[in-house]
Amino acid sequence: MTVTDDRPSAVLGTRLLRREDPALLTGEAKYTNDLDLPGALHLAVLRSPYAHARIVSVDLSAAQASPGVVAVYSGADLAGEWASPMPSAWAVTADMKNPAHYPLASSKVCYVGDGVACVLATSDVAARDALELIDVRYEPLPAVVDLEDALSDRVVIHDELSTNSSYTWDLKIEGTEGQVEQAFADAAFTVKERYVQQRLIPMAMEPRAVAAVPQPFGGDMVLYSATQIPHILKVMTALTLGIPEHQMRVIAPSVGGGFGSKLDVYAEELLCVALARKHRVPVRWNEERGEGTVATTHGRGQIQHVELAADADGKLTAVRIRLLADMGGYQQLITAGIPILGAFLYAGVYDLPQAYDFSCTGVYTTLTPTDAYRGAGRPEATYAIERAMDALADQMGIDPMDLRKRNFIRKEQFPYTAFTGLVYDSGDHLAAAEMAAEMADYDGTRARQKAQNVPGAKKLLGIGQASYFEMCGLAPSRVLASLNYSAGGWEAATVRILPTNKVQVVTGTAPHGQGHETAWSMIVADKLGIAPGDVDVLHSDTALAPLGLDTYGSRSLPVGGVAIAIACDKVIDKAKKIAAHQLEANEDDLDFTGGAFTVKGSPDRTMPLAAIAFEAFTAHNLPDGLEPNLEAQVTYDPPNFSWPFGTHICTVEVDTETGQVDVLQYVAVDDCGVQVNPLIVEGQVHGGVIQGLAQALYEEAAYDTDGNLKNASLAEYLVPAASDVPPITLGHTVTPSPTNQLGVKGIGEAGTIGAAPAVINAVVDALSGLGVTDVPMPASPHNVWKAIQAATNNSQGASK
Amino acid sequence: MIPAAFDYVRAGSAAEAISLIGQHGDEAKFLAGGHSLLPLMKLRLAAPSVLVDIGRVSDLSYIKDAGDHIAIGALTRHMDVETSAVLQEHVPLLAHAAGHVGDPQVRHRGTIGGSIAHADPASDLPATTLALGATYIAQGPNGTREIAAADFYQGFLESALAADEMLTEIRVPKMQGAGWSFQKFNRRAQDWAIVGVAAWRRNGDSGVALVNMGSTPILATSVSGALAQGASVSDAAQLAAEEAEPQSDLNASPEYRVHLAKVLVRRALEAASA
Ligand SMILES: Cc1cc2nc3c(=O)[nH]c(=O)nc-3n(C[C@H](O)[C@H](O)[C@H](O)COP(=O)(O)OP(=O)(O)OC[C@H]3O[C@@H](n4cnc5c(N)ncnc54)[C@H](O)[C@@H]3O)c2cc1C
């Protein structure tokens, strides 16, 4: 199925420059915070300095008297505004414990950053100055920072739950009882590893921003927000505030990145709407960077126990996974479901018999809530299996590449029904791995490594690999039902040909950096035989695009893009009826190519779409019973997930004296099926790889034992800059997805999924001669140095 | 990230700046490049009520050959120090170190005087000028005085400057062909050093100073002493942290800092001896 032609047509597959970029690069793009809203009041939120404390009293009087202040509220003051607690859309188990969570706390705070009071003032500065005058008395309680400590219930955070465990979700395959235990008993090799997925701070370039604007009379409300999910936000805001849904409109102006952190319904969004409703004036809020480090959701935060069983040839025979997942102080929109999104991927790209035992326990801590972060559950899963595969290869004394090749699902096994019952659409892991190996000069590097990594060498070479499967294109609605998710996974599209043959596309996807306007215009241009520049893409406004399920989980192209293609087909079908009528031909005798209908065999009997568009508009001469205008609306529910895959190979040199890791080369071979625009694909992979590399080497939300975030600024939370990024060499194979007409799969998260395990495998590979078997993330110089010290002390201890 | 309210006055000359500071008392501060002061003010860790902007006192931006030393005006930007042909010839260690301060934006705004007056042990130029045996010129209401770099740094962000004194000039002895090396160990290119070393060596003489190894920049006198007595580079480097009192932070424990100092001093001296 692998095809070599990655330029399926004249438009699709070309490197068209992104139409979004001129406005973004020149600063002309309008973000939420750029909106001019005369008379708007500014909201500022007072945040708890304690990770865990009872609120004894809140004195607002001094703040109320501060210049420019219009109103000050405590959590208790606003209790009457909420029709329900903040939404949590994913009760992963029927008995999941989920405490009621309100936009402002009134009796207890559960993390540093938890909102306790708010100020409305005539300027942002006046509002923030007044925060300092609010006097809150707290009774501090012990913080719960460590996941295993949380599980012990030494300190119970939510009294009403009487435990910190929220849920335990198991994936057991019916009819295979005892098989896992048997496989472990029979195994020639087993590995048992423990990995920590440190918490990460998403750090979108644009911090969050909100503006709620009440409309004159009647109670309509427009909510502007830097969000990835205008549609979901509309429903959730309406429900939480008791506003009739048809009176809520949500607009996401230009949005500067999200990485999952803007896939949420936040306290500040609800507060702005509630206070705009109460005061009948626009209310706006914008997040400061430091504030965002505690007030916006974090990603990852898991402890993973991974066990693999293999036969004498290294063929995997069973996988057992136990996860502890950090919910943080409360659940946000889909907090509980994030680790479950990875549940199906802990066997990676390998041909595993039905011997899989997965269990995840979600626990509360007194830290910022976690939620989706680029890859959401799937990078964690890939990390665990790919690190454990290296551990297995090490134990067997074989090359990790060789071990992977013995276990890959083979090309001819696709479509492949996995042990979970999920069907992997298409793939060729061996081809991707071999291509990556060749690009990285895998064998040559191994030879150089042998020469370089001699006893006493101060600079050690390491090479690491990760092969991944990404489950994306979220999602078939029925599968989501089986996971207890409270929405579907479809996407909507409208394609409308205007009288002058220009096209409007209305999409339910909500781009925030991905380039949908460019990509969707290419799909339409290809379908209709027009120029991409003649296509306008409307999105991210629930009045213009009322139907949609937004952008996350690498879903926009394989679900939303496919919906657009289908809508184009419908429009063409209708146009064909008009063409047949006017050309006095049979519909079946018409070809549609190059933007024109032509009677087969009679090239002179032809009618361009432009002419049909105008005929459809004037409606002077349409077939009987046909409605005027060319427009089609489609809601597409994907029949399956899509399964992009690939292999990443990273080469590092580790300075054993300082612990510094230098990435010498990074090769990523990704297969996202058919590429609509390779330029956008490459951009997504570059960004994703850097984000994965950041987890591997730089980033970690570091807390002290009192639950204070120690690196709450960009000076201390180390997002790598351009100067820190190694050369990244990209390759791709193209294995179309057979489940959609475009053959597309999705690419938004792939880079992040492959990078962290490839980098850490390389670091551990470099140090393996010293006896190092694992290095925690981030593999900072200090952490690497400590791992070397520990291994060296161990081996000295052993030799004594 | 919004500073507390403050008043702002701009000085046209050093004398005017000193008199303005005198008028406004303890609550006033000089503003040079603003790249240390403004971040502190935004975090509300500093809240001066008046800023006396000396950023446009242009006659204090110069690099002059003064015979046995190079005289650098306090308001000279890092970028000008980095690219100065005079410094590259006579004090290459300082020009090189200036090229490692922050990122290009920082180097275009920040001044050598501001960096030294701020007395941040994690900054590059205080330690570098300390290693080079520089002399700083301070001007106050009663005239000017010279302060040896070795006497200048008194505590964390504390210098020998009186509140109404302005640093006007930095005098750095010519290196006379000494071997040198600047080792900056950090995680991202733009960051402050986790540990840094500025070192030069000429026959038996040497100067070694450490960045971020205590509450002030540290002169590693034990290392120079050992070298003067003929110790090998690697033996001398073992004494790197003798004068240091390294702190713990997110990037390093004290133990790791001491280890890094020894490694980096050894590397610096090896490079300076080559
Ligand atoms: C992102 C970033 C990264 C940085 N990275 C580094 C780095 O890697 N290495 C490094 O060394 N530095 C770094 N810096 C700091 C930078 O070098 C500053 O420019 C420098 O430390 C201060 O110089 P300034 O002119 O900006 O001083 P200002 O911020 O204006 O002033 C600093 C202090 O000195 C006082 N002051 C200033 N000039 C005088 C004077 N002539 N006489 C008396 N008092 C005076 C001020 O009152 C204030 O208290 C970084 C800064 C930023 C923002």
Side-chain angles (χ1 to χ4, degrees):
Chain A
M1 245 197 130
T2 301
V3 295
T4 46
D5 178 12
D6 56 353
R7 283 193 50 173
S9 80
V11 181
L12 285 192
T14 60
R15 307 173 68 87
L16 191 66
L17 292 183
R18 301 193 337 159
R19 60 165 70 176
E20 292 87 345
D21 288 344
L24 294 172
L25 293 174
T26 57
E28 292 294 312
K30 291 277 176 276
Y31 296 89
T32 300
N33 209 22
D34 295 323
L35 298 174
D36 190 16
L37 299 171
L41 295 178
H42 294 257
L43 173 76
V45 178
L46 182 71
R47 302 186 181 280
S48 167
Y50 293 103
H52 192 196
R54 251 176 253 296
I55 300 172
V56 177
S57 64
V58 184
D59 180 355
L60 308 173
S61 51
Q64 271 154 347
S66 183
V69 169
V70 173
V72 189
Y73 298 105
S74 68
D77 295 338
L78 294 179
E81 295 294 322
W82 323 117
S84 65
M86 287 176 60
S88 145
W90 205 338
V92 293
T93 60
D95 61 352
M96 182 178 91
K97 295 193 168 65
N98 185 16
H101 175 203
Y102 289 93
L104 293 178
S106 47
S107 58
K108 205 175 173 190
V109 289
C110 296
Y111 64 96
V112 172
D114 205 354
V116 284
C118 68
V119 175
L120 268 192
T122 49
S123 74
D124 189 28
V125 177
R128 288 186 188 274
D129 277 348
L131 289 182
E132 295 184 0
L133 303 173
I134 299 175
D135 186 12
V136 183
R137 296 274 150 81
Y138 297 95
E139 177 196 332
L141 298 166
V144 184
V145 175
D146 178 83
L147 273 182
E148 280 150 348
D149 181 34
L151 195 64
S152 77
D153 285 336
R154 180 183 63 86
V155 176
V156 171
I157 302 161
H158 299 287
D159 307 323
E160 68 276 26
L161 307 184
S162 66
T163 171
N164 295 326
S165 299
S166 172
Y167 66 85
T168 294
W169 187 94
D170 298 325
L171 179 62
K172 297 237 158 48
I173 295 142
E174 253 174 72
T176 64
E177 290 75 16
Q179 231 156 281
V180 171
E181 291 70 21
Q182 195 58 49
F184 275 97
D186 296 345
F189 300 98
T190 60
V191 296
K192 188 169 179 172
E193 299 284 308
R194 177 184 185 272
Y195 303 122
V196 177
Q197 295 286 330
Q198 79 272 36
R199 274 178 171 252
L200 300 176
I201 302 178
M203 291 289 187
M205 188 89 87
E206 180 206 16
R208 288 190 293 124
V210 183
V213 183
Q215 302 302 296
F217 311 109
D220 284 9
M221 182 70 71
V222 180
L223 170 61
Y224 297 90
S225 185
T227 181
Q228 302 174 222
I229 52 162
H231 298 90
I232 296 172
L233 183 60
K234 184 196 71 170
V235 179
M236 293 300 183
T237 318
L239 290 174
T240 311
L241 286 149
I243 295 173
E245 188 187 345
H246 63 288
Q247 294 195 285
M248 269 310 300
R249 173 179 177 190
V250 175
I251 301 175
S254 285
V255 178
F259 310 118
S261 73
K262 292 175 182 167
L263 193 189
D264 231 304
V265 177
Y266 279 104
E268 295 81 6
E269 290 167 323
L270 300 168
L271 284 168
C272 281
V273 175
L275 294 173
R277 174 172 68 180
K278 201 175 171 82
H279 289 261
R280 297 175 193 279
V281 288
V283 172
R284 69 193 310 167
W285 172 81
N286 64 287
E287 185 182 65
E288 289 190 340
R289 178 63 68 185
E291 182 179 28
T293 60
V294 293
T296 293
T297 55
H298 290 178
R300 316 284 188 256
Q302 292 183 1
I303 296 176
Q304 307 171 300
H305 295 273
V306 186
E307 288 176 82
L308 305 183
D311 68 14
D313 294 328
K315 277 277 295 166
L316 290 184
T317 54
V319 172
R320 189 189 284 136
I321 305 294
R322 293 289 176 270
L323 291 190
L324 270 186
D326 187 351
M327 309 281 96
Y330 310 93
Q331 291 195 19
Q332 283 278 344
L333 190 62
I334 52 171
T335 301
I338 298 304
I340 310 306
L341 279 172
F344 309 93
L345 290 174
Y346 279 83
V349 294
Y350 308 115
D351 186 17
L352 182 79
Q354 291 203 319
Y356 190 78
D357 174 2
F358 174 96
S359 177
C360 172
T361 300
V363 279
Y364 294 105
T365 55
T366 57
L367 306 178
T368 292
T370 60
D371 210 317
Y373 179 60
R374 203 169 190 170
R378 291 154 293 165
E380 295 93 314
T382 305
Y383 184 85
I385 178 66
E386 289 303 281
R387 286 283 301 117
M389 286 298 275
D390 267 35
L392 177 59
D394 185 49
Q395 197 187 119
M396 295 177 65
I398 65 172
D399 191 281
M401 175 71 85
D402 183 21
L403 179 68
R404 286 179 173 80
K405 286 182 179 173
R406 295 182 195 186
N407 280 284
F408 282 146
I409 298 167
R410 292 184 317 280
K411 178 179 159 183
E412 57 277 11
Q413 290 174 281
F414 289 97
Y416 175 90
T417 305
F419 55 93
T420 47
L422 290 170
V423 177
Y424 301 162
D425 56 357
S426 61
D428 189 347
H429 300 298
L430 187 62
E434 284 182 336
M435 183 174 193
E438 193 177 319
M439 288 169 65
D441 185 22
Y442 190 87
D443 296 336
T445 311
R446 283 269 177 243
R448 282 205 308 285
Q449 180 183 40
K450 224 171 166 184
Q452 182 172 336
N453 294 9
V454 292
K458 299 268 185 273
K459 301 246 172 150
L460 299 177
L461 202 59
I463 183 162
Q465 167 186 1
S467 296
Y468 73 89
F469 233 149
E470 180 184 355
M471 181 178 117
C472 69
L474 307 183
S477 297
R478 286 183 181 177
V479 179
L480 291 179
S482 73
L483 293 175
N484 265 346
Y485 181 65
S486 44
W490 47 263
E491 196 46 83
T494 300
V495 171
R496 183 182 298 140
I497 305 190
L498 303 175
T500 58
N501 203 32
K502 305 296 178 196
V503 179
Q504 270 181 343
V505 176
V506 183
T507 176
T509 66
H512 43 283
Q514 293 86 349
H516 291 178
E517 293 179 19
T518 303
W520 294 182
S521 74
M522 291 170 76
I523 293 171
V524 174
D526 177 65
K527 280 280 184 184
L528 302 182
I530 59 176
D534 287 338
V535 183
D536 189 23
V537 179
L538 304 173
H539 59 82
S540 306
D541 176 343
T542 61
L544 283 178
L547 290 176
L549 284 171
D550 308 314
T551 288
Y552 42 84
S554 304
R555 70 185 303 271
S556 295
L557 176 60
V559 192
V562 171
I564 290 168
I566 297 170
C568 287
D569 288 340
K570 282 194 166 179
V571 167
I572 293 166
D573 281 349
K574 183 170 179 184
K576 193 179 220 175
K577 289 192 167 56
I578 301 173
H581 174 72
Q582 300 218 348
L583 291 168
E584 297 179 344
N586 204 319
E587 272 181 61
D588 296 341
D589 292 338
L590 292 182
D591 279 335
F592 181 65
T593 46
F597 290 95
T598 308
V599 180
K600 285 184 181 124
S602 315
D604 51 328
R605 289 178 67 202
T606 181
M607 195 171 178
L609 192 58
I612 299 169
F614 198 69
E615 292 292 336
F617 163 69
T618 63
H620 291 173
N621 182 16
L622 299 182
D624 290 344
L626 198 74
E627 284 178 20
N629 287 320
L630 287 177
E631 178 182 293
Q633 195 203 307
V634 162
T635 303
Y636 171 67
D637 199 348
N640 189 1
F641 294 94
S642 60
W643 302 86
F645 63 93
T647 289
H648 292 198
I649 296 179
C650 175
T651 313
V652 301
E653 193 171 69
V654 183
D655 181 334
T656 56
E657 286 190 298
T658 62
Q660 180 96 38
V661 174
D662 248 345
V663 177
L664 302 181
Q665 184 196 44
Y666 195 97
V667 170
V669 173
D670 296 283
D671 190 323
C672 58
V674 172
Q675 299 189 1
V676 171
N677 182 332
L679 196 64
I680 293 179
V681 170
E682 287 166 17
Q684 289 292 321
V685 177
H686 282 145
V689 165
I690 293 164
Q691 239 162 344
L693 216 110
Q695 175 172 17
L697 297 177
Y698 293 98
E699 298 183 15
E700 171 175 34
Y703 281 92
D704 67 15
T705 49
D706 293 329
N708 297 302
L709 181 63
K710 292 193 284 183
N711 47 359
S713 83
L714 282 169
E716 294 139 314
Y717 185 85
L718 303 186
V719 177
S723 44
D724 307 306
V725 174
I728 301 172
T729 314
L730 302 186
H732 60 263
T733 57
V734 178
T735 311
S737 170
T739 62
N740 67 67
Q741 62 156 281
L742 295 175
V744 295
K745 291 190 167 188
I747 193 65
E749 295 155 305
T752 321
I753 291 173
V759 173
I760 298 296
N761 279 342
V763 173
V764 174
D765 180 60
L767 300 175
S768 60
L770 302 178
V772 172
T773 55
D774 194 23
V775 174
M777 294 192 287
S780 65
H782 195 189
N783 280 340
V784 172
W785 181 73
K786 283 191 285 193
I788 296 171
Q789 294 299 105
T792 331
N793 291 343
N794 253 345
S795 67
Q796 278 167 358
S799 64
K800 266 181 204 154
Chain B
M1 294 303 271
I2 301 168
F6 58 88
D7 285 330
Y8 170 92
V9 281
R10 183 185 294 160
S13 67
E16 190 190 351
I18 291 158
S19 110
L20 282 167
I21 283 278
Q23 280 168 35
H24 292 288
D26 279 1
E27 292 305 297
K29 277 215 158 266
F30 294 116
L31 174 71
H35 269 48
S36 289
L37 184 54
L38 294 184
L40 289 181
M41 289 171 62
K42 285 182 172 181
L43 294 168
R44 299 204 174 185
L45 295 173
S49 55
V50 182
L51 289 185
V52 176
D53 187 354
I54 52 174
R56 302 197 193 186
V57 181
S58 51
D59 55 358
L60 284 185
S61 173
Y62 56 81
I63 297 168
K64 285 183 204 149
D65 188 331
D68 62 341
H69 68 270
I70 305 297
I72 305 169
L75 286 218
T76 310
R77 313 267 168 193
H78 303 322
M79 187 61 81
D80 295 324
V81 173
E82 176 188 358
T83 55
S84 154
V86 174
L87 284 172
Q88 282 168 356
E89 184 183 345
H90 296 293
V91 197
L93 171 56
L94 180 59
H96 179 85
H100 283 76
V101 172
D103 54 35
Q105 287 97 316
V106 173
R107 296 199 286 277
H108 274 101
R109 293 296 308 166
T111 65
I112 186 168
S115 182
I116 288 167
H118 195 55
D120 185 343
S123 284
D124 300 312
L125 304 187
T128 303
T129 50
L130 180 63
L132 288 165
T135 302
Y136 307 142
I137 309 301
Q139 185 178 335
N142 308 319
T144 61
R145 61 178 179 131
E146 294 186 6
I147 310 171
D151 300 329
F152 186 79
Y153 302 102
Q154 309 203 322
F156 184 68
L157 306 186
E158 266 178 52
S159 77
L161 287 175
D164 58 357
E165 268 184 319
M166 181 174 160
L167 183 62
T168 52
E169 190 175 275
I170 293 93
R171 294 182 184 162
V172 198
K174 289 184 177 173
M175 290 176 66
Q176 321 273 18
W180 57 273
S181 174
F182 183 71
Q183 301 278 331
K184 182 168 180 174
F185 189 77
N186 56 13
R187 289 178 64 189
R188 295 181 303 186
Q190 73 205 53
D191 286 330
W192 272 269
I194 296 172
V195 175
V197 174
W200 60 268
R201 194 174 184 197
R202 193 180 49 234
N203 307 323
D205 288 344
S206 67
V208 179
L210 309 177
V211 180
N212 215 4
M213 282 295 288
S215 55
T216 63
I218 303 289
L219 198 59
T221 48
S222 299
V223 174
S224 294
L227 288 175
Q229 286 169 16
S232 71
V233 160
S234 49
D235 286 347
Q238 285 305 311
L239 306 173
E242 287 298 296
E243 289 76 24
E245 285 166 26
Q247 68 290 4
S248 174
D249 62 22
L250 278 177
N251 288 316
S253 63
E255 185 197 11
Y256 178 53
R257 277 210 158 82
V258 167
H259 168 78
L260 282 177
K262 291 178 184 173
V263 172
L264 298 175
V265 165
R266 192 199 74 226
R267 289 182 182 177
L269 291 175
E270 279 167 1
S273 310

